[in-house]
């Protein structure tokens, strides 16, 4: 019997029947398909949840920030809350993170899915700072706009810087300056003044601005339309109380007067009134006494700072120098002789035509609105000399956008003059001016229709008609008024004598000289 080599025959495919090979290949294909079929192997869940990352650099794919959802469940929770849910998290405390990625370009009105955070695990820490900030920004209310702002004037402040501070445009400022052309109150802002700005609650445009000068005087500028303001001057008359200020001179008159309670303006007035009779630098001696009777304005219990000197007496050993205010606004000595030179009626040396009279209800020639004309206009060609109508001190030299170049001269405590639209000004602030002295040349600066001089006269800070006002044109008290003047002098001297006796009593009681 012949034996065969079975080991070699088993490795030869030719020895396997065909039906067996078909069955073998079929089995291999089934096993391979089972291995590659999706969702059949629960151990490959991490591979199944891998998602497509959108490349922002791909110009064909819209750049949409993927929505991230955080979900934390336990096996027990998933079974109790949703029995039909197939729990895919085997850990007792694990997190499933998935991304919602777009598979196609979204339409403009489509919304991305909103993150579901209702099942977040408190043990899982996530960065929610940006979400909180976004929510606060969306729910926070805007800061309220201040509709009323008050600014106290400090040294060096200007109207322009104040308007910038309260964020109001320069156009509005010039509209207010246009309304202020006849008053020129905003050109002399001083420390202690207060500006109040009131805005419209809806448009936030400036509706009203108030200038507080003192408790007895405020000026309100109100908007009347988109381009114009008008002003209202509010004056509280209050009461005027008579006061006596007395002092004894030790050192200079200025230092002694300040110590007694006189203001710098009052000291300047006394120097001017008595300066032609006595030299305050050389003739004043220690031990000289002075008494000043003045009226001070009060509104309620508050002093406005406005005063008027009624009488002055400076006593030396052998002589007394006096000045008394009469009803005509002029000062005279005890004999009725004028201490101030007489005024002249016109601020020029020629006969110029009056082109516009004083008129508090005049229509403005440029704007057409009712605008008080507080002065007298003389039709004077540019370059005509302008002269002061009386002795005084220059208190203002300004360049106003509407009044042009102008100056102001204070004549004692009662009278004041202004000269507007000047071409050139030849004096400076603080200069002493004599009656008839040339102060500049007329012109056409500011808002004008042609060259002219606008001239104003103020009595007790109120504009009056310079062509008809009762000016002190004489050099002494008229004879028919002398009796009234002497009676007034006797009243003031009686008050001064009381203060004089009190000074002696104080001098005896005090070891140190004083007031």
């Amino acid at each position: 019997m012949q034996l065969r080599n079975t080991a070699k025959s088993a490795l030869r495919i030719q020895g396997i029947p065909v039906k067996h090979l078909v069955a073998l290949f079929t089995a291999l294909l089934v096993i391979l398909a089972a291995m590659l079929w999706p969702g059949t192997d629960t151990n490959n869940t991490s591979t199944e949840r891998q998602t497509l990352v959108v490349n922002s650099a791909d110009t064909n794919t819209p750049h949409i920030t993927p929505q991230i959802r955080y979900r934390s469940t336990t096996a027990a929770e998933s079974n109790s809350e949703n029995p039909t849910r197939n729990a895919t998290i085997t850990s007792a405390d694990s997190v499933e993170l998935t991304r919602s990625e777009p598979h196609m370009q979204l339409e403009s009105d489509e919304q991305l899915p909103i993150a579901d955070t209702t099942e977040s695990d408190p043990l899982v820490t996530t960065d929610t700072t940006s979400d909180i900030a976004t929510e606060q920004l969306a729910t926070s209310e805007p800061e309220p706009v201040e509709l009323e702002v008050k600014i106290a004037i400090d040294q060096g402040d200007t109207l322009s810087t104040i308007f910038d501070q309260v964020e109001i445009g320069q156009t509005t400022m010039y509209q207010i300056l246009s309304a202020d052309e006849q008053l020129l109150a905003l050109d002399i802002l001083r420390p202690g003044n207060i500006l109040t700005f009131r805005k419209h609650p809806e448009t936030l445009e400036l509706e009203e601005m108030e200038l507080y000068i003192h408790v007895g005087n405020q000026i309100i500028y109100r908007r009347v339309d988109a381009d114009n303001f008008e002003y209202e001057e509010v004056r509280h008359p209050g009461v005027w109380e008579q006061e006596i200020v007395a002092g004894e001179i030790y050192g200079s008159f200025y230092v002694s007067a300040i110590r007694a309670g006189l203001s710098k303006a009052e000291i300047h007035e006394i120097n001017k009134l008595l300066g032609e009779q006595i030299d305050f630098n050389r003739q004043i001696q220690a031990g000289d006494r002075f008494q000043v009777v003045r009226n001070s304005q009060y509104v309620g219990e508050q002093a406005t700072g406005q005063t008027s000197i009624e009488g002055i007496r400076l006593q030396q050993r052998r002589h007394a120098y006096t000045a008394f205010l009469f009803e005509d606004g002029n000062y005279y000595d005890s004999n009725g002789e004028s201490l101030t030179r007489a005024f002249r009626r016109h601020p020029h040396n020629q006969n110029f035509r009056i082109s516009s009279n004083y008129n508090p209800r005049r229509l403005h020639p440029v704007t057409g609105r009712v605008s008080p004309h507080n002065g007298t206009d003389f039709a004077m060609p540019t370059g005509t000399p302008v002269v002061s109508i009386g002795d005084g001190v220059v208190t203002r030299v300004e360049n106003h956008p509407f009044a042009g170049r102008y100056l102001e001269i204070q004549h004692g405590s009662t009278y004041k003059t202004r000269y507007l639209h000047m071409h050139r000004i030849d004096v400076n602030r603080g200069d002493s001016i004599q009656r008839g002295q040339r102060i500049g040349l007329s012109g056409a600066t500011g808002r004008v229709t042609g060259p002219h001089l606008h001239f104003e006269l103020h009595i007790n800070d109120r504009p009056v008609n310079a062509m008809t006002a009762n000016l002190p044109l004489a050099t002494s008290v008229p004879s028919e008024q002398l009796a009234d003047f002497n009676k007034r002098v006797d009243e003031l001297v009686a008050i001064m004598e009381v203060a004089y006796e009190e000074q002696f009593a104080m001098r005896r009681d005090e070891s140190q000289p004083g007031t």
Side-chain angles (χ1 to χ4, degrees), residues 214-218 234-238 297-299 304:
H214 54 72
V215 68
N217 188 15
Q218 298 93 44
V234 180
R235 287 185 176 268
H236 305 283
Q297 185 187 32
Y298 289 85
V299 176
T304 66

Side-chain angles (χ1 to χ4, degrees), residues 309-434:
I309 295 179
E310 293 191 309
I312 306 166
R313 186 172 69 173
L314 175 61
Q315 292 178 301
Q316 294 188 313
R317 295 181 180 179
R318 299 183 178 181
H319 194 76
Y321 304 94
T322 59
F324 300 97
L325 178 65
F326 194 42
E327 61 186 15
D328 62 359
N330 201 10
Y331 285 91
Y332 303 89
D333 62 16
S334 57
N335 297 320
E337 297 296 327
S338 177
L339 297 177
T340 56
R341 296 181 182 179
F343 285 87
R344 54 187 295 167
R345 184 67 68 181
H346 299 97
H348 52 76
N349 294 321
Q350 302 178 45
N351 187 20
F352 289 106
R353 175 179 60 89
I354 295 178
S355 58
S356 182
N357 287 298
Y358 171 85
N359 182 3
R361 300 298 302 171
R362 182 204 65 158
L363 292 176
H364 197 283
V366 176
T367 64
R369 298 182 58 82
V370 175
S371 178
H373 190 242
N374 292 332
T376 303
D377 289 350
F378 295 95
M380 299 168 57
T382 298
T384 303
V386 178
V387 300
S388 173
I389 68 166
D391 298 350
V393 176
V394 179
T395 54
R396 287 202 224 177
V397 176
E398 303 288 348
N399 190 3
H400 191 274
F402 299 100
R405 294 189 183 93
Y406 77 92
L407 74 153
E408 179 181 278
I409 300 176
Q410 187 74 40
H411 309 273
S413 61
T414 304
Y415 301 96
K416 179 171 57 182
T417 55
R418 287 178 181 169
Y419 310 80
L420 278 60
H421 308 301
M422 302 279 285
H423 173 69
R424 190 180 76 194
I425 296 176
D426 297 332
V427 294
N428 298 311
R429 186 174 180 269
D431 288 352
S432 295
I433 304 300
Q434 304 297 319

